[in-house]
Amino acid sequence: MSLPHALLTALIERSCSGSELAERFDHSIGYFWQASHQQIYRELARLEGAGFVHGSPVGGARGGKKTYRVLPKGVKELRRWLVERPAPSPVRDELMVRLRAEAVIGPTRLIEELACLAEQHREKLNVYREIEAKDFSQKTARVDEQLRHFVLKAGIDFETQRIAFCEEAISILKGR
Amino acid sequence: MSLPHALLTALIERSCSGSELAERFDHSIGYFWQASHQQIYRELARLEGAGFVHGSPVGGARGGKKTYRVLPKGVKELRRWLVERPAPSPVRDELMVRLRAEAVIGPTRLIEELACLAEQHREKLNVYREIEAKDFSQKTARVDEQLRHFVLKAGIDFETQRIAFCEEAISILKGR
DNA sequence: CCGCCCATGTAAACGGTTACATGATTTA
DNA sequence: TAAATCATGTAACCGTTTACATGGGCGG
């Protein structure tokens, strides 16, 4: 259950409204923990109910816009969560299931789907590389920046591995 | 929604009862798509309702044990699913969220949790390697066996990457 | 016969997804 | 002022998780 803590993290970096948060999420933490705007609004309401954040209406602004900021209790909660023992995240990889199925009842037209999937991963990889070139082109001594860069690199590694995976699967499937 | 198709795949490989299936799952497909016995029983009931599998009571056996076998309609369904265009699976990586949080409110005692996590991944990696040595030590021309081996290798790559990830994160965190 | 385990199953709570609703602000 | 858009939210559904329930063999 990481969403509330991901939101707390983002709000500590900078307070903002629900919609802004959803947007920022798409471009940073969202690469590793996606959330729709409905989830975000619901979770903000819960966090407010628990006294972790406070949302104050933006004076005279459009819509019912509210700016959420993290309360001390929220920081404490995030710190508490951070030192919990993390369980290895349960693996749920549909692609593997597909390949096992293909092994049993194949051949099907899975090759084309794999090629398409590889292309999608290539696009995501390019996005990551651009972010890296823009935000992390020079070395830094600051640990927090190193961590952010590191998280991005992990994303790059992941996409790279996925592409190689698709390509090797295709070459095995073609070998028949 | 891969669980029903993972179950169909396993049952095509060999018909068996729900409990056996849960056990087999733990040692093969379960590495990539975990499912509790409750999920499996419920899904079997659904698959039977849909006419994809048929469960016949094991004659005179203990408990209400039933053996499930896949019906032609089930094979057809699996084939249909297999050629659907797969969406890239949504990424949900709690560890990344933790590191972002650490970057914002750290330092905490995350290092020790990471070391523990790395150890868990090392254990899983060893299990995979043993399976590989036992079941896939010699080359084969059969595509289905190549695919099964390939899926296992992907698991090995994944665990290896995770271990490296934990270790690098630790070394960054120590650098302060 | 009693207690334990095994196979099966039910129930409740929760997170995530999708579709839709409300009200205010900008724009044509 | 009507239409489009934005910010916020509600409702219903589905899969997953956890805890508990039933009921039949088996060992003492």
Side-chain angles (χ1 to χ4, degrees):
Chain A
M1 222 253 297
S2 301
L3 179 57
H5 304 99
L7 294 179
L8 286 173
T9 301
L11 285 177
I12 288 174
E13 290 181 31
R14 186 160 53 83
S15 299
C16 66
S17 71
S19 55
E20 252 180 276
L21 190 53
E23 209 175 314
R24 282 174 53 199
F25 225 69
D26 282 348
H27 297 81
S28 59
I29 293 176
Y31 288 130
F32 313 111
W33 199 279
Q34 281 129 277
S36 62
H37 73 105
Q38 292 89 340
Q39 266 178 285
I40 288 176
Y41 285 125
R42 187 173 48 173
E43 202 57 51
L44 281 174
R46 281 181 200 160
L47 289 172
E48 185 156 33
F52 294 153
V53 304
H54 174 74
S56 47
V58 174
R62 46 175 311 173
K65 200 172 213 174
K66 283 186 282 184
T67 297
Y68 288 91
R69 66 170 207 280
V70 178
L71 300 176
K73 205 173 157 192
V75 177
K76 205 176 148 196
E77 163 60 21
L78 187 56
R79 191 161 273 132
R80 185 200 63 72
W81 173 75
L82 207 43
V83 295
E84 264 181 12
R85 183 131 314 190
S89 29
V91 182
R92 289 239 159 72
D93 196 328
E94 182 174 322
L95 193 48
M96 304 282 197
V97 179
R98 284 177 123 74
L99 282 172
R100 290 280 302 215
E102 169 83 15
V104 170
I105 63 158
T108 69
R109 289 161 32 75
L110 190 58
I111 286 182
E112 289 153 49
E113 311 311 325
L114 282 169
C116 169
L117 197 54
E119 187 51 35
Q120 291 175 280
H121 283 295
R122 258 180 233 110
E123 279 166 27
K124 207 163 174 189
L125 179 59
N126 284 335
V127 172
Y128 287 176
R129 283 206 208 282
E130 278 165 29
I131 295 174
E132 188 179 35
K134 192 161 66 75
D135 294 356
F136 301 102
S137 54
Q138 55 214 16
K139 283 206 184 274
T140 173
R142 287 182 55 189
V143 169
D144 63 335
E145 279 182 24
Q146 282 181 49
L147 280 176
R148 270 188 278 267
H149 186 191
F150 175 60
V151 168
L152 180 62
K153 278 192 290 186
I156 290 175
D157 286 351
F158 175 77
E159 297 300 330
T160 304
Q161 189 173 323
R162 278 265 130 174
I163 294 166
F165 180 85
C166 290
E167 285 171 354
E168 193 175 341
I170 289 172
S171 93
I172 291 177
L173 291 177
K174 276 191 177 157
R176 75 179 162 204
Chain B
M1 223 254 298
S2 302
L3 179 57
H5 304 100
L7 293 179
L8 286 174
T9 301
L11 284 177
I12 288 174
E13 292 180 30
R14 186 161 53 81
S15 299
C16 65
S17 69
S19 54
E20 251 180 279
L21 190 53
E23 209 175 315
R24 281 175 53 202
F25 226 69
D26 282 346
H27 297 81
S28 60
I29 293 176
Y31 289 129
F32 314 110
W33 199 279
Q34 281 130 274
S36 62
H37 72 105
Q38 292 90 341
Q39 267 179 285
I40 289 176
Y41 284 125
R42 186 175 46 173
E43 202 57 53
L44 282 173
R46 279 183 201 160
L47 290 172
E48 184 157 33
F52 294 153
V53 304
H54 174 75
S56 46
V58 174
R62 48 176 311 173
K65 200 172 215 173
K66 283 186 281 185
T67 297
Y68 288 91
R69 65 168 208 280
V70 178
L71 300 176
K73 205 173 157 191
V75 177
K76 205 177 149 195
E77 162 61 20
L78 187 56
R79 190 161 274 132
R80 185 201 63 71
W81 173 75
L82 209 41
V83 295
E84 264 181 11
R85 183 131 314 190
S89 28
V91 181
R92 288 235 162 75
D93 197 328
E94 181 173 322
L95 194 47
M96 304 283 197
V97 178
R98 285 179 121 77
L99 282 172
R100 290 281 302 215
E102 170 83 15
V104 170
I105 64 157
T108 68
R109 288 160 39 71
L110 189 59
I111 287 183
E112 290 153 47
E113 310 311 325
L114 282 169
C116 169
L117 197 55
E119 187 50 36
Q120 291 175 279
H121 283 296
R122 260 181 232 110
E123 279 165 26
K124 208 163 172 189
L125 178 59
N126 284 335
V127 171
Y128 287 175
R129 284 207 208 282
E130 277 165 30
I131 295 173
E132 188 179 35
K134 190 161 67 73
D135 294 355
F136 301 102
S137 53
Q138 55 215 15
K139 283 207 184 276
T140 172
R142 286 181 55 188
V143 169
D144 63 334
E145 279 182 24
Q146 283 181 49
L147 280 177
R148 269 188 279 268
H149 187 190
F150 175 60
V151 167
L152 180 62
K153 278 192 290 187
I156 289 174
D157 286 351
F158 175 77
E159 298 300 330
T160 304
Q161 188 172 325
R162 278 264 131 175
I163 293 166
F165 180 85
C166 289
E167 285 170 354
E168 194 175 340
I170 289 172
S171 91
I172 291 177
L173 290 178
K174 276 193 178 156
R176 75 176 162 207

